[in-house]
Amino acid sequence: MDQKGYRRGSFQSSTSDEDMLEIAGASVDLSMADDDPPLDREMGGFSSYNGGGMNGTSTMMDFLEEPLPGVGTYEDFNTIDWVREKSRDRDRHREITNRSKESTWALLHSVSDAFSGWLLMLLIGLLAGSLAGLIDISAHWMTDLKEGVCLAGFWFNHEHCCWKSNTTFTDRDKCPEWKSWSQLILGYGEGAFAYILNYFMYVVWALMFSLLAVLLVKGFAPYACGSGIPEIKTILSGFIIRGYLGKWTLVIKTITLVLAVSSGLSLGKEGPLVHVACCCGNILCHLFTKYRKNEAKRREVLSAAAAAGVSVAFGAPIGGVLFSLEEVSYYFPLKTLWRSFFAALVAAFTLRSINPFGNSRLVLFYVEFHMPWHLLELVPFILLGIFGGLWGAFFIRSNIAWCRRRKTTRLGKYPVLEVFVVTAITAILAFPNEYTRMSTSELISELFNDCGILDSSKLCEYVNDFNSTKGDDLPDRAAGPGVYTAMWQLALALIMKVFITIFTFGMKVPSGLFIPSMAVGAIAGRLLGVAVEQLAFYHHDWAIFSGWCSQGADCITPGLYAMVGAAACLGGVTRMTVSLVVIMFELTGGLEYIVPLMAAAMTSKWVADAIGREGIYDAHIRLNGYPFLEAKEEFSHKTRAMDVMRPRKNDPPLTVITQDSMTVEDVETIVTKTTYSGYPVVVSRASQRLVGFVLRRDLIISIENARKKQDGIVSTSIICFTDYCPPLPPSSPSVLKLRSILDLSPFTVTDETPMEIVVDIFRKLGLRQCLVTHNGKLLGIITKKDVLKHIAQMANQDPDSILFN
């Protein structure tokens, strides 16, 4: 990507996101390959283009009727033209509808075209669900592999290994078929030496898994690192990052996601599963011409694929649809809503058929609380919301500061060393504490659990008084020594998770943030829940408890507090609200606890927004300089289009192409000396009356094809963008007609248009550029990046940060 210009003979590149994997992970300056207007003469790219010397002789070609391959496509790191893409799709659909009345075959083609979208959703759901099941099963097995192996079959994880064992319920985790590494190597599992050996093997396996993950990412698919959601949000807004959703990225992300989760790092698989599902959607789009050739239609499919990704990540199909609508999608018509729902349904059904958790349930953390919550408990729930908001704001600031340091210092040059060090620290700190040693998903499941009679967990070691037990309901009881030990261990686990996640998220391995955030909130919630429970037990005669919590009653459910805390922390980090609450009650099956979840989610959002407006994904978008125009932010400054457009004072004049007076050589000179994505076409330089807008890529491809295939096209040939070209002397070379590539309806505003209207137009229409006129004459141009730079400038930020890096 050193040379951003088009090379001769290089215009037949595919428009799929599977190409150009070699540039993945490289630092690319967007200013050389974006929608900048033809103003800045300093950029010297495109020097490799030379249209001369290509005078092939062939049959006459009418450029008005026959579309050229490559025309209408986009280069890497460019923004798509939503208006043009939607217009092309409407034309295609109108043509199919008209033809369907002519013959039975055309009618069948029309029906298959209409059905293709639903078939594509079915395929995406099946593939995403299958991959998610594979990832879940593999990650569970490899996580347990750090602690031991099953003699009945090495492919069994700890739980599956002990299913057929005859051990008692309390010793169900100590079945003879499962051997720890010390039992396997030394022959015994107790004692200091056995503990040290188990510790050593745990760290070694963790390092092996994480190093293999980072080496695979670095060597084969650099785009497979991270969460993927910031980039998917940017792609769905119309930006093109080739290779990000390609085949290699899908394969490597699937493999390395299993390795990263199994290594015990403080990360989750939920965000990366959205990336995996979107890769599936993009690859399957190539089976259908309608989606392969239209970037806007493809983004509708990717929105549905994102919903399927969350559906399989959490077993929450409705929450997945709402997540796609609220968090990642830029353009979400009603038709996409229905298709997202169908894709999420199929994906969830596929995952349920695979049954990766072995509990015949789709939900990840099924809970069954026996007591309803009381109105006064809203106070601790809101406190958890405040904690979640504070944690979210603290995490975002700390993580962004660390990621910025990684980008701007030598640290970023050693991704393998960074992963090695962070994994080593995590594994060494995690092993002594049973709540950090277990996988984060198991930890959350245990924290959500409501203690029953048969529970052997330390969290359930209460002082039992079986005379007061009524059926399955256990009364609030005094905490035993096991509970106090668990509280100390959980407090240490909370401190570790809070800080280690900051350094883990953003490393060069697949890393999701949902599960670590939920773990922090669940630990804090469980601690608060047990504290309130003991307070109610010992002080049931206090005024706040006397009305609803009598002695011997089951009043407080600590697991509910853990669930609310998890929602609060996840909301504080991501700023999700509606989709978060729906995901949480689908995730746990706790339908009657919607109000506590809503209270905590809204409180955490308000608190976090008071400290900083951006969620973690928006913060990473800004850190990476992606050209993403946030629809949620309001522009309230009183500037006008003339303040933002270019050229500005003391700038060179706007470079334009005239409609019928420039030669092929003149146009090639403009293309050679500039690196812009398009040029305004005017009647003449004197009048500056606007005719249309032509894209650079279309212009180059058309000229090169004309030189090869149309007789008489030479450097002195006139290029004509009108239906009727001016009469020329008989000895003149052939005229090159290029009206078919001219956009005759470019979006224009006047120079007095308020910028808040211009920003709204760019957001809602997804424009690449907008031309500025005064009394019908062309004055200048505003591109999407100009708008982003202006917004950054108005917010006292560095406008030059809006570069893809």
Side-chain angles (χ1 to χ4, degrees), residues 34 69 96 159 209 294 306 355 358 370 388 403 420 489 547 557 563 653 660 696 745 768:
D34 81 330
I96 290 174
E159 185 182 354
F209 291 154
N294 192 295
N355 192 20
H370 299 104
C403 289
F420 180 87
Q489 288 180 321
T557 308
M563 189 168 85
D660 55 14
R696 170 201 190 89
S745 55
R768 303 177 80 192

Side-chain angles (χ1 to χ4, degrees), residues 400-418:
I400 292 298
W402 178 252
C403 289
R404 185 176 287 114
R405 183 177 179 82
R406 183 188 289 128
K407 278 178 175 293
T408 55
T409 63
R410 296 183 52 149
L411 179 67
K413 297 179 181 178
Y414 306 103
V416 178
L417 180 63
E418 183 189 9

